[in-house]
Amino acid sequence: MAKRVGIEVSLAISEAVKLAKVDAVAAYPITPQTHIVEHLSELVAEGELDAAFIPVESEHSAMSVCAGTSAAGARTYTATSSQGLALMNEILFIIPALRLPVVMTIANRALSGPISIWNDHSDIMSVRDTGWIAIFVENGQEAFDLTLQSFKIAEDHRVLLPISVNLDGFTLSHVIEPHEFLDQDEVDRFLPEYKPAVQLNPDDPVSMGTVGVPEIYAEAKKCQDEVLKGSIKVVKEVFAEFAEMFGREYKVVETYRAEGAETLLMTMGSVSETAMEAIDKMQEAGRKVGLIRLRLWRPFPADDLRAEMGSVKTLAVIDRAVSFGGAGGPVAGEVRSALYNVDDSPYIASFIAGLGGRDITVDDFIEMVDQAEAMAKVNEIHEYKMIGVRE
Amino acid sequence: MENLNVYAAKMAPQQEFLAGGHRACQGCAELLAARLVAKTLGHDYIIANATGCLEIVTSSYPHSAWEVPWIHVAFENAAAVASGVEAAVKILQKKGKYPVDRKITILAQAGDGGTVDIGLQALSGALERGHDMIYICYDNEAYMNTGVQRSSSTPYGATTTTSPAGAADPLGQHTMKKNIVEIAAAHNIPYVATASPSYPFDLMEKVKKASETPGPAYIHCFVPCPTGWRMAPNLAVSIGRIAAESKVFPLYEVVNGEYRMTVTHKKHRPVIDYLKPQGRFRHLNEDNIAEIQQQVDKSYERLLKKVKMSSTELD
Amino acid sequence: MTKKYNEKAWHEYELGFMVSRPGCSAEYRTGDWRSQQPQTNKEKCIKCGVCYLVCPEGAIVLAADGTYDFDLEHCKGCGICATECWTGCISMVEEGE
Ligand SMILES: Cc1ncc(C[n+]2csc(CCOP(=O)(O)OP(=O)(O)O)c2C)c(N)n1
Ligand code: SF4
Ligand code: SF4
Ligand code: SF4
Ligand SMILES: [Mg+2]
């Protein structure tokens, strides 16, 4: 039976990885991800997890090792943050091209410089176009549940793409929360053994990663894109199966008190908990304000987003990363593209807040709603505004 | 050819695991060496290949020259990818989840650039972690695939497209070849060797030993490149022989830290015999050549000392 | 009719654009690169197999009588075999002569 455990979120993730019976873990330390791989190495050392634990000499090698383990047919996991993700960058592109279902936790952290160990989303936003499925979680339970579900999504033969599970560094990764853990037999029923579609095997030799001559390169990219876009169907199926088995429901786009709302705040990650407080407060004051959260960042759930825009007149999108000199925050830019040609699409305000560990308070959220509504009224043309910065 | 039974060639494994139809230049010793390595390892092995000539010429879609499982991920990470393959095969075999339960040899292969420069960190990591694998560096002494740029394995005095001999700087490469063999040996791994396809039996013997040695093995293979060395293609094998005979590229192995020459010569040829046929050294003057002779003598002496020390320790 | 590799639609390729036919590069003809081709004076050949061993193309094949033939589909005419042959019985002759 499921049991309730109070544990640090990082460790809950490691426990989920253990329950997934991974075969291989590549590990390199970086704050705030380190507790995850530390705990995994402990689980291996204690004999609780029968996996190859490969303590590599860099994140570039971590991701390269993952390419090797996954191509050889092993269920493969790694975790990183910030600079580590940046160092992996080259290999991140190659993993989905080779159709390797690696699962990676990213404890999101700001990118240097100046060097910062604190949370924002600049790491994941910088690898937006690498071709990975990217999921955001907001609390420990979600981190545990979605880590397990990620293996099932990634390894589905209609998908065979890598997934990153993103959680806010420190503000989520390092807090102790209660978690409903699942038992091994429950997990086994949900997540069967990984059956690779192809693996490096001398009795059936294949060549992986051959030269993409111009006659096929565009088809290779088109294929990758179609499979990534198509994976949303599998994501939803897996969410549904999980809900059916364990009663916890997940959606690619989630809302909070959004019925009848004329203004929506849009967030990703753990700041939504504070955002909810702000929504409660504003609704108490009689304002028609709700919250919308993107759980799935890639593939971008454009249809699901559009479906939530019913009565919405103003959308305030909060980005936790800067696209320097761009036409909007990274998320806001996507949202504007997705809604631009839609009839009666809302006014979209782009705010950047919470960089490098800067808190976003309830008052900040209220201020963003105020500003967005005022801007909407005069249809103010803008790219993006930074909030909570001394001017 | 080697001073062996003339008919020894007939004893070599006959089956090919690297097919023809690859796109290497005429007389490419890198491909010759890879073919001999493939022959030696036979059926039960998996290759992780770095970007470079060997990768490009053998895997132009829709073709592959490889008869064994082969993966190419990037330029600098062959050792890391191979580490992953090795770790995965081991754990999956242990769990009874790998389709083959025979011993599988894992081979990482890369050029000198992919090894001595950009791949050095991944190589060092893999050697230090002790993966049971063979790493072969095919050293053609420059970044050939991108058009003959210098690497830290390019020899002193060689002209390349990024160490050109010019009017103001007539030497070409100013630095001596990085001694990667010593670097590999410094990881205290059980087997390190130099090799050359000009000595095919020595090469094949070393590959066999490396595959039979548990733990990491590093083989540094000298592969003349007619295109980059500006040399007639028919000389690709004989020039490797002259390299050994002139002490430029001695053939030895380091087994558990003990040095041993595997090919010796009663008399050595002067380096000029080695330099002369190659266009990349054509600009050198007598002083340069004397300097190279001195360098070669000195490093050979140093090597002999290690060999001598090893044999006394064995006594 | 099976489509050629450059005619297929994006969904008609193998997973990850891998190549699953081992050694299929042999289909590719490199013999056209040659300007000279090797010829053996089989009278002088001592059947040692050295030429076979040193060909980068693997384009030298054992014949029934113990001598070696050239696979002219793949031989690039590098001349290594001729240079390395012990007895000097291989000569390089101009292509088409
Ligand atoms: C990260 C990265 N940097 C640079 C390159 C370009 N590149 C591809 S192959 C190559 C040279 C390979 O040289 P070497 O490893 O010596 O192999 P060779 O081609 O000489 O056999 C270079 C510079 C690359 N593919 N990736
Ligand atoms: S450039 Fe040199 S190493 Fe590369 S294929 Fe040609 S001969 Fe071989
Ligand atoms: S000429 Fe070169 S390619 Fe042709 S058979 Fe002789 S060695 Fe092989
Ligand atoms: S090397 Fe010369 S002698 Fe030996 S088998 Fe070949 S052709 Fe005959
Ligand atoms: Mg090179």
Side-chain angles (χ1 to χ4, degrees):
Chain A
M1 262 317 287
K3 53 181 183 292
R4 219 171 151 74
V5 186
I7 190 174
E8 184 185 318
V9 172
S10 292
L11 273 52
I13 293 171
S14 315
E15 291 291 330
V17 172
K18 180 194 92 174
L19 288 164
K21 294 185 176 162
V22 296
D23 300 304
V25 177
Y28 194 83
I30 182 165
T31 305
Q33 160 282 132
T34 314
H35 290 182
I36 301 172
V37 293
E38 277 176 3
H39 189 54
L40 281 169
S41 90
E42 209 173 295
L43 292 170
V44 172
E46 295 296 338
E48 288 183 47
L49 170 61
D50 191 11
F53 186 86
I54 306 134
V56 286
E57 81 296 336
S58 76
E59 288 89 350
H60 192 282
S61 283
M63 197 38 68
S64 303
V65 161
C66 289
T69 55
S70 188
R75 180 171 282 168
T76 297
Y77 175 81
T78 191
T80 194
S81 294
S82 180
Q83 308 306 117
L85 188 68
L87 190 57
M88 287 177 179
N89 190 277
E90 181 197 26
I91 311 305
L92 293 179
F93 285 86
I94 302 169
I95 301 282
L98 294 175
R99 303 292 298 279
L100 301 174
V102 174
V103 173
M104 169 163 67
T105 303
I106 307 175
N108 298 120
R109 160 182 158 182
L111 281 171
S112 200
I115 191 163
S116 161
I117 57 168
W118 295 280
N119 165 239
D120 70 22
H121 293 169
S122 50
D123 54 6
I124 176 66
M125 291 303 151
S126 76
V127 300
R128 183 189 66 182
D129 296 336
T130 53
W132 286 55
I133 297 172
I135 292 178
F136 275 79
V137 301
E138 296 171 6
N139 58 46
Q141 189 64 53
E142 293 188 5
F144 177 86
D145 290 350
L146 286 161
T147 300
L148 281 171
Q149 293 175 71
S150 287
F151 287 100
K152 187 153 172 134
I153 297 164
E155 293 167 2
D156 189 295
H157 283 202
R158 293 166 293 171
V159 178
L160 292 171
L161 288 175
I163 299 194
S164 69
V165 179
N166 292 269
L167 80 159
D168 288 316
F170 286 123
T171 49
L172 181 54
S173 64
H174 282 50
V175 297
I176 294 174
E177 287 191 3
H179 299 78
E180 291 272 349
F181 274 11
L182 297 173
D183 289 340
Q184 188 65 62
D185 57 309
E186 290 175 312
V187 172
D188 290 349
R189 267 189 294 126
F190 172 72
L191 179 67
E193 201 173 273
Y194 171 42
K195 291 270 178 282
V198 199
Q199 73 194 123
L200 296 167
N201 162 14
D203 283 348
D204 190 6
V206 295
S207 295
M208 298 181 178
T210 56
V211 178
V213 293
E215 296 91 315
I216 62 136
Y217 185 86
E219 279 69 27
K221 293 296 108 176
K222 170 78 174 165
C223 179
Q224 218 185 302
D225 188 47
E226 290 296 332
V227 174
L228 180 65
K229 286 190 289 189
S231 71
I232 195 162
K233 183 167 173 277
V234 179
V235 170
K236 289 176 181 176
E237 277 176 28
V238 171
F239 284 180
E241 191 182 333
F242 189 87
E244 167 105 14
M245 286 179 78
F246 308 117
R248 285 190 293 276
E249 271 187 55
Y250 292 96
K251 285 161 79 187
V252 295
V253 173
E254 311 216 358
T255 53
Y256 175 74
R257 301 186 72 175
E259 316 82 64
E262 289 181 0
T263 299
L264 284 185
L265 266 176
M266 179 183 274
T267 55
M268 277 162 95
S270 58
V271 294
S272 61
E273 311 235 322
T274 319
M276 285 180 203
E277 267 182 62
I279 298 296
D280 291 345
K281 211 166 157 184
M282 286 184 280
Q283 288 211 1
E284 265 165 48
R287 298 178 68 172
K288 291 184 176 164
V289 183
L291 180 67
I292 183 163
R293 297 117 71 199
L294 289 187
R295 158 142 352 268
L296 191 63
W297 169 231
R298 277 295 182 273
F300 189 78
D303 287 335
D304 300 80
L305 175 68
R306 288 183 201 115
E308 299 293 346
M309 287 303 118
S311 59
V312 179
K313 295 200 173 64
T314 306
L315 187 57
V317 182
I318 296 154
D319 265 287
R320 307 207 45 217
V322 190
S323 172
F324 296 103
V331 180
E334 298 264 320
V335 171
R336 281 179 180 149
S337 295
L339 298 179
Y340 184 73
N341 288 324
V342 176
D343 286 343
D344 298 324
S345 68
Y347 176 86
I348 297 164
S350 170
F351 296 111
I352 291 167
L355 296 182
R358 180 69 48 95
D359 274 346
I360 311 178
T361 62
V362 170
D363 287 343
D364 289 333
F365 283 115
I366 296 173
E367 190 200 321
M368 284 186 266
V369 170
D370 291 345
Q371 277 201 31
E373 288 178 350
M375 288 155 74
K377 209 168 272 168
V378 297
N379 194 27
E380 183 182 325
I381 303 299
H382 75 295
E383 276 74 39
Y384 51 90
K385 297 196 167 175
M386 284 207 193
I387 296 295
V389 178
R390 292 182 297 277
E391 313 232 12
Chain B
M1 267 300 112
E2 279 155 88
N3 203 6
L4 274 171
N5 181 344
V6 191
Y7 296 100
K10 284 241 144 95
M11 323 264 271
Q14 299 295 302
Q15 207 178 336
E16 302 290 339
F17 289 90
L18 174 53
H22 59 72
R23 269 89 148 164
C25 315
Q26 293 177 323
C28 173
E30 179 157 301
L31 265 285
L32 170 57
R35 176 184 159 236
L36 296 173
V37 169
K39 239 179 200 317
T40 311
L41 292 176
H43 181 274
D44 285 344
Y45 78 109
I46 299 174
I47 300 175
N49 212 121
T51 314
C53 276
L54 180 58
E55 167 261 334
I56 299 279
V57 305
T58 57
S59 76
S60 186
Y61 199 90
H63 292 138
S64 168
W66 300 100
E67 305 271 359
V68 292
W70 181 91
I71 182 169
H72 159 250
V73 178
F75 182 23
E76 64 285 64
N77 66 351
V81 176
S83 301
V85 175
E86 186 262 356
V89 170
K90 201 155 85 184
I91 187 84
L92 292 178
Q93 282 187 333
K94 181 185 153 210
K95 290 181 171 182
K97 295 204 294 190
Y98 192 71
V100 176
D101 57 14
R102 306 180 298 272
K103 179 185 164 18
I104 310 290
T105 299
I106 311 299
L107 171 67
Q109 46 187 18
D112 50 299
T115 300
V116 176
D117 287 343
I118 199 167
L120 187 59
Q121 174 180 316
L123 171 64
S124 176
L127 298 183
E128 178 273 330
R129 289 190 300 272
H131 295 278
D132 188 6
M133 63 184 226
I134 310 174
Y135 187 104
I136 299 187
C137 171
Y138 296 102
D139 183 6
N140 52 23
E141 305 196 317
Y143 294 104
M144 293 310 175
N145 180 54
T146 37
V148 203
Q149 293 83 23
R150 60 92 72 185
S151 76
S152 60
S153 204
T154 301
Y156 178 87
T159 184
T160 70
T161 56
T162 53
S163 64
D169 184 350
L171 181 60
Q173 175 97 338
H174 278 265
T175 50
M176 283 174 68
K177 217 173 147 68
K178 186 187 284 183
N179 194 336
I180 185 71
V181 183
E182 286 298 305
I183 295 173
H187 288 76
N188 288 321
I189 57 174
Y191 191 77
V192 178
T194 63
S196 152
S198 304
Y199 295 82
F201 292 100
D202 184 66
L203 168 61
M204 291 192 286
E205 184 60 28
K206 285 168 174 167
V207 171
K208 197 154 166 283
K209 268 193 201 172
S211 74
E212 286 163 359
T213 306
Y218 177 86
I219 297 178
H220 196 76
C221 192
F222 187 73
V223 289
C225 161
T227 308
W229 296 10
R230 301 203 230 143
M231 175 186 79
N234 66 308
L235 300 182
V237 169
S238 55
I239 199 79
R241 214 153 40 235
I242 302 174
E245 290 165 358
S246 62
K247 306 185 276 192
V248 166
F249 194 87
L251 295 167
Y252 61 101
E253 59 186 11
V254 191
V255 183
N256 294 318
E258 306 292 336
Y259 287 70
R260 188 176 78 85
M261 306 298 289
T262 59
V263 174
T264 51
H265 307 275
K266 290 209 178 71
K267 223 174 136 252
H268 290 109
R269 298 169 73 144
V271 292
I272 181 80
D273 291 4
Y274 171 71
L275 304 174
K276 202 116 193 223
Q278 302 181 48
R280 62 176 175 157
F281 296 120
R282 196 151 296 149
H283 58 287
L284 297 179
N285 62 30
E286 271 176 33
D287 290 347
N288 300 146
I289 292 168
E291 165 68 22
I292 292 173
Q293 183 70 60
Q294 240 181 22
Q295 289 176 5
V296 165
D297 290 343
K298 210 163 141 193
S299 23
Y300 192 76
E301 279 307 308
R302 221 179 279 143
L303 174 62
L304 282 188
K305 271 186 200 152
K306 285 177 198 147
V307 172
K308 219 171 260 163
M309 251 168 63
S310 297
S311 47
T312 42
E313 273 170 29
L314 282 178
D315 287 343
Chain C
M1 210 198 82
T2 52
K3 288 186 191 169
K4 291 213 290 263
Y5 81 98
N6 55 0
E7 295 167 347
K8 290 182 186 176
W10 63 265
H11 49 85
E12 294 176 313
Y13 289 88
E14 293 182 275
L15 187 72
F17 286 69
M18 67 179 175
V19 175
S20 69
R21 294 180 305 133
C24 62
S25 65
E27 291 166 1
Y28 186 74
R29 208 185 134 83
T30 52
D32 299 340
W33 300 14
R34 236 177 9 242
S35 59
Q36 291 194 314
Q37 78 172 56
Q39 263 177 17
T40 315
N41 174 353
K42 293 215 171 181
E43 314 266 276
K44 271 171 69 186
C45 169
I46 57 167
K47 306 176 180 177
C48 65
V50 162
C51 53
Y52 156 78
L53 209 56
V54 296
C55 172
E57 315 305 318
I60 301 185
V61 285
L62 188 60
D65 65 354
T67 63
Y68 288 83
D69 292 334
F70 301 104
D71 158 15
L72 294 175
E73 282 285 305
H74 297 113
C75 162
K76 293 174 185 162
C78 68
I80 290 179
C81 54
T83 304
E84 296 303 311
C85 170
W86 281 67
T87 61
C89 67
I90 304 178
S91 41
M92 300 302 291
V93 300
E94 289 308 310
E95 195 65 22
E97 273 178 24

